[in-house]
Amino acid sequence: MSEDVQDQPANGQDAHPDDKGSVLDQQKRKPMLIKVAIGVAVVAGLYFAYNVFIGSRSVSTDNAYVAGEMAEVTPLTSGRVVEVRVTDTQPVRRGQVLFRIDDADQRIALAEAKAALEYAKRRYGQSRANETALGAAADASATQIGAAQARVTSAGAALAKAQTDYDRRAALTGSGAVSGEELTAAREALASAKAAAREAQAGLASARSNATSARRQEEAARALTRGTDVDTAPEVLLARARFATAELDLERTVVRAPVDGIVARRTIQVGQKVENGKVAMAIVPVSQLYVDANFKEDQLGKVRSGQAAELTSDFYGDDVVYHGKVVGFAGGTGAAFSLIPAQNATGNWIKVVQRLPVRIELDPKELKAHPLRIGLSMDAKIDLTSKD
């Protein structure tokens, strides 16, 4: 009994006071869990609502940069630089003189080309005159044929007379009426007449041959100038083309800006010899810049050309908002065009979400009001609900 009495609490309190505290904690914990569950449900609902009603209406990225088509300035003729009028960061207008090349050689070449053109024109005039002279010679050769025919006729008559004289004297030889000397003289006269006839025939053939040759020469001369004049003759056109080339080379010694923009990467100095086609500087057309926004591949399912975009630049902050539109997609991801492409066929392959550059055209008026530079960071957001 005494042990049982000793086991009872002396002050009549509960033998397990922690049981009451744990009951109270459980009663407080339940509402707390309910509140947490409600909070989680609210957050999930808000996220779902944002994703459905807001997030699905646009895609955005901060992996975007200003880009542009830089115009490279390359001299199209060689020579020594005698003047440079611009420097890096300087704004220039299209047609403004950038630098000049010593034009002494080009001026000499132009003078030679001009002289060659004048010489070609005179050669054409000479060809025309030669053509006329050959025509006159051909006509003269044609008249020689008539003279040669007359000589043939005369020689034939002389031959006939000589033959008659010889025959008459030869017939009288037996009667003693004709001496031997007369017969010999008649025979010689006949031989001479025959030779003269043959010579006349050869002269006629030669006259005809000369006339044909002269006519062919005239035709060859006319073939060089037929259907042309001094302005359309081939040799004159060739000389004029070389003269135009020399003029162009002289004009190219003054190098001008091809576009409006900012000078960048100037590499030439006064006194330096530049070669044809070597880049001397670049001009950035700041009024024609665009943005390459690198979106993740899982963001591009609904992106289309022509959709509107809003962009902000770290250069100006959120106070300046640029408006543009999607104009195209790159032909491949950045990894595909990298210097060392990823070898996904290896056994160590790890999937990495790829990014595809999307080109966004900017509003020229906004660019003029707030100029940008190539390489600046941008934040881009594309409105998926907009249409082209």
Side-chain angles (χ1 to χ4, degrees):
M1 278 299 288
S2 61
E3 293 179 358
D4 293 336
V5 174
Q6 290 178 356
D7 290 338
Q8 294 294 328
N11 54 6
Q13 295 179 355
D14 191 356
H16 300 285
D18 292 340
D19 293 342
K20 184 178 180 181
S22 110
V23 171
L24 292 174
D25 290 341
Q26 289 179 359
Q27 292 176 350
K28 293 179 179 179
R29 189 179 303 149
K30 186 175 181 180
M32 185 179 300
L33 291 175
I34 293 174
K35 292 179 180 179
V36 172
I38 293 173
V40 172
V42 170
V43 172
L46 292 175
Y47 177 79
F48 178 78
Y50 174 82
N51 189 47
V52 172
F53 298 104
I54 300 178
S56 61
R57 298 171 63 88
S58 65
V59 290
S60 60
T61 181
D62 59 357
N63 189 348
Y65 303 93
V66 179
E69 304 294 338
M70 288 191 295
E72 292 186 338
V73 179
T74 57
L76 299 179
T77 187
S78 302
R80 182 175 59 87
V81 178
V82 295
E83 181 183 13
V84 180
R85 296 189 179 182
V86 296
T87 185
D88 284 341
T89 73
Q90 180 178 335
V92 294
R93 304 290 295 177
R94 180 178 181 178
Q96 180 177 337
V97 176
L98 302 177
F99 61 93
R100 292 194 310 107
I101 298 174
D102 184 13
D103 59 2
D105 293 340
Q106 286 76 11
R107 289 187 180 278
I108 293 174
L110 179 61
E112 292 178 349
K114 184 177 181 180
L117 176 59
E118 293 300 322
Y119 180 71
K121 290 180 178 179
R122 299 196 178 197
R123 283 290 302 272
Y124 180 82
Q126 182 181 14
S127 296
R128 280 292 194 184
N130 187 45
E131 173 187 322
T132 302
L134 289 175
D139 293 340
S141 297
T143 60
Q144 293 298 321
I145 296 176
Q149 288 177 337
R151 285 193 292 272
V152 168
T153 302
S154 176
L159 176 61
K161 180 178 181 302
Q163 186 68 48
T164 301
D165 291 344
Y166 175 76
D167 292 341
R168 185 184 304 115
R169 285 174 174 74
L172 297 175
T173 302
S175 64
V178 178
S179 65
E181 292 180 357
E182 289 181 357
L183 182 61
T184 301
R187 185 181 296 113
E188 291 177 353
L190 177 60
S192 177
K194 289 181 178 180
R198 289 193 296 271
E199 183 179 0
Q201 289 290 343
L204 177 60
S206 177
R208 288 174 175 171
S209 176
N210 290 338
T212 301
S213 176
R215 194 63 67 187
R216 295 290 182 271
Q217 291 178 358
E218 179 192 9
E219 292 176 357
R222 290 186 182 279
L224 294 175
T225 59
R226 183 179 295 116
T228 64
D229 54 27
V230 71
D231 293 322
T232 60
E235 63 271 20
V236 175
L237 292 177
L238 178 60
R240 184 174 286 113
R242 290 173 177 170
F243 178 74
T245 300
E247 278 188 321
L248 187 58
D249 287 340
L250 178 60
E251 181 182 343
R252 285 172 172 172
T253 59
V254 179
V255 182
R256 302 178 182 273
V259 295
D260 298 344
I262 304 295
V263 176
R265 298 188 319 191
R266 197 197 87 176
T267 60
I268 61 170
Q269 303 292 336
V270 173
Q272 177 182 349
K273 187 178 186 300
V274 294
E275 299 296 335
N276 185 350
K278 183 179 179 181
V279 178
M281 64 183 69
I283 297 179
V284 181
V286 293
S287 62
Q288 302 174 18
L289 300 180
Y290 52 86
V291 172
D292 282 333
N294 303 298
F295 284 93
K296 296 179 180 178
E297 53 187 318
D298 55 6
Q299 294 179 296
L300 297 174
K302 297 181 180 180
V303 177
R304 301 288 185 271
S305 292
Q307 290 176 340
E310 291 186 354
L311 306 100
T312 58
S313 169
D314 294 348
F315 189 76
Y316 293 106
D318 296 338
D319 294 336
V320 177
V321 178
Y322 295 89
H323 298 83
K325 66 177 180 179
V326 177
V327 294
F329 302 84
T333 64
F337 293 115
S338 62
L339 184 61
I340 304 178
Q343 298 298 318
N344 295 337
T346 63
N348 298 325
W349 174 74
I350 298 176
K351 182 176 181 179
V352 177
V353 177
Q354 300 297 316
R355 291 181 178 269
L356 184 72
V358 177
R359 180 158 298 183
I360 300 175
E361 184 181 78
L362 299 175
D363 187 346
K365 295 181 180 179
E366 294 177 349
L367 269 177
K368 185 176 181 180
H370 299 90
L372 294 171
R373 296 295 184 269
I374 290 179
L376 292 180
S377 299
M378 302 286 286
D379 291 336
K381 183 173 70 173
I382 298 176
D383 184 1
L384 301 179
T385 63
S386 61
K387 297 182 179 179
D388 187 4

